[in-house]
Amino acid sequence: MHYLDNSATTPVLREAAEQAYKVMTSAFGNPSSQHKMGIEAAHILKESRREIAAALHVQPTEVVFTSCGTESTNLALFSAARRRRKGHIVTTAVEHAATLQCCKRLEQEGFEVTYLPPDSTGHVSAEAFSAALRTDTVLASMMLVNNETGACLPVGACGQALKRRCPEALFHVDAVQGLFRVPLTPEKWKCDLMSVSGHKIGAPKGIGALYLRKGVHLAPLLCGGGQENGLRSGTEALPNIAAFGAACRVRAATFAEDVKKVEGLKAALLDGLQTRLPWALVNGAGDVPHVVSLSLPGCKSEVVLRVLESDAVYVSAGSACSKGRESHVLRAMGLDKGRIDSAVRVSFAPYNTLEDVEALLAGLEKAAAMLRRG
Ligand code: PLP
């Protein structure tokens, strides 16, 4: 099996699965219980929070657990915007649906939203961001790494511009595809809120987190028992949280060498494309080596995916979330329809190998021979 769809989700790391198993079968108490089992669970919660906070370069008290990156983004955007009745929000046209759909809802509630367009490489400039700011801007939300192209957005320059021009406004960074791809420095970025998700880094699905800068107060979306400092009620998903903590510990220990390894995989893919499929087009800037978007003009992505799948090579067309719909990211970049319809996203994780790259290249050659006309 050659799994090259790690921006969609990743296999669970052994250490993370073992930690989850331990919590599910022996340390299964409720962290709010007053007895020994509860105290043990509360200790695991605290330790996991510490490990995740270290990966995010924030304080443990600034981490709020959620069920996923989407919930983290919903909590950030709805709560931050609704501190005011109306106002202006700045985001980009290349955000994940989690952000775009929240912004659409906020527009229905009376907020005005500016969606900054990218250039043809998938970048959005800090100058365009600054120019979009208004006196009534209450919130800005920007992704760190684009899930379809691997382009990095200038969150640092944008955060600083926002705080200079609109000191009351809050800045949210969607770092779901950034965690363990690039270093996270939320303080430097003047970031108030930052979303991450466990299943993109080797933890199970069902766990995310929101960084909430000390001193920022948000209203919860879920009310109940008051867990997570009242911001996210509901008994903590301790097996998932513990696994997320373990995944952060493991990934942090090998971060630098992992990035080098993934750079080698991307270089091998690009070399292979140049010699074996020189007419293939690479889409976007691909600032991080983990994501390569490529188009094989004349070869519909759904069909390429099926050909690759028949050789146990797994990739996405656009993003996994777009489920066959035309990519809004590639469209916003102004790519032509032929290029969008033939786009394939390859996404690496550190466990991938050169054999995976070779299997992909062989599969792409096979698909091209079957599908390419002329
Ligand atoms: N933001 C980005 C950039 C993503 O790529 C994703 C998932 O693909 C999300 C948010 C949503 O994360 P989750 O799947 O944990 O809800």
Side-chain angles (χ1 to χ4, degrees):
M1 201 245 284
H2 305 280
Y3 184 80
L4 294 166
D5 198 13
N6 293 284
S7 290
T9 197
T10 55
V12 175
L13 292 166
R14 186 178 49 77
E15 293 84 346
E18 282 172 3
Q19 188 66 12
Y21 183 77
K22 180 182 137 198
V23 172
M24 286 192 275
T25 54
S26 57
F28 56 82
N30 184 324
S32 298
S33 292
Q34 299 295 297
H35 48 67
K36 206 171 147 201
M37 293 284 292
I39 292 165
E40 183 188 11
H43 177 72
I44 293 172
L45 180 62
K46 186 173 169 197
E47 275 306 292
S48 308
R49 197 186 299 281
R50 194 184 52 72
E51 283 169 328
I52 294 157
L56 272 48
H57 296 110
V58 303
Q59 295 304 313
T61 49
E62 297 173 315
V63 173
V64 180
F65 289 118
T66 61
S67 62
C68 56
T70 299
E71 188 195 329
S72 173
T73 298
N74 274 248
L75 176 58
L77 298 192
F78 286 137
S79 301
R82 289 173 185 157
R83 296 183 317 150
R84 314 285 170 79
R85 284 235 179 73
K86 56 190 173 65
H88 173 237
I89 299 169
V90 182
T91 190
T92 82
V94 296
E95 298 299 312
H96 187 267
T99 297
L100 294 176
Q101 292 305 316
C102 287
C103 287
K104 293 271 172 277
R105 175 73 71 86
L106 288 166
E107 279 185 291
Q108 287 162 9
E109 294 178 16
F111 290 87
E112 275 185 66
V113 183
T114 300
Y115 299 90
L116 295 169
D119 63 17
S120 61
T121 67
H123 286 139
V124 174
S125 78
E127 291 71 32
F129 177 89
S130 293
L133 295 174
R134 304 188 336 201
T135 48
D136 65 340
T137 302
V138 293
L139 172 66
S141 182
M142 184 174 257
M143 66 199 330
L144 176 59
V145 175
N146 184 269
N147 49 312
E148 292 192 36
T149 62
C152 288
L153 300 197
V155 295
C158 293
Q160 281 157 22
L162 181 71
K163 294 296 163 174
R164 248 191 335 268
R165 299 267 310 279
C166 313
E168 299 298 313
L170 293 182
F171 186 42
H172 170 252
V173 172
D174 172 356
V176 167
Q177 297 290 347
L179 181 58
F180 294 120
R181 273 72 168 170
V182 294
L184 304 189
T185 54
E187 204 185 324
K188 209 166 116 194
W189 302 333
K190 304 278 180 222
C191 164
D192 302 292
L193 304 153
M194 180 172 72
S195 297
V196 292
S197 177
H199 75 103
K200 309 291 187 184
I201 66 143
K205 292 151 194 68
I207 183 65
L210 176 66
Y211 155 68
L212 178 67
R213 184 175 61 74
K214 187 171 177 248
V216 176
H217 298 288
L218 295 184
L221 299 183
L222 295 186
C223 298
Q227 288 88 346
E228 297 300 288
N229 259 331
L231 244 186
R232 207 282 186 176
S233 285
T235 302
E236 298 86 347
L238 199 59
N240 285 352
I241 292 171
F244 193 10
C248 283
R249 184 176 65 244
V250 170
R251 295 291 301 267
T254 55
F255 180 37
E257 66 198 76
D258 285 351
V259 171
K260 277 217 163 57
K261 185 166 179 220
V262 173
E263 278 168 357
L265 297 173
K266 177 180 174 178
L269 173 58
L270 296 184
D271 277 0
L273 285 175
Q274 207 161 45
T275 49
R276 292 156 69 172
L277 296 155
W279 47 273
L281 302 167
V282 175
N283 304 316
D287 299 313
V288 294
H290 303 75
V291 186
V292 179
S293 171
L294 54 101
S295 289
L296 302 179
C299 307
K300 282 239 181 266
S301 5
E302 305 88 80
V303 189
V304 174
L305 254 57
R306 294 286 90 83
V307 174
L308 292 174
E309 185 187 57
S310 67
D311 288 331
V313 177
Y314 301 99
V315 296
S316 271
S319 78
C321 305
S322 58
K323 283 191 185 146
R325 286 189 295 271
E326 187 183 274
S327 157
H328 69 282
V329 174
L330 302 183
R331 193 176 350 111
M333 285 160 58
L335 303 192
D336 64 57
K337 191 162 162 47
R339 197 155 165 181
I340 298 174
D341 288 349
S342 63
V344 167
R345 178 190 68 183
V346 180
S347 49
F348 295 114
Y351 68 85
N352 285 129
T353 61
L354 289 172
E355 286 72 51
D356 295 328
V357 176
E358 175 50 38
L360 171 66
L361 286 164
L364 291 174
E365 281 182 316
K366 180 170 154 186
M370 283 165 68
L371 303 173
R372 202 153 173 245
R373 286 172 301 217

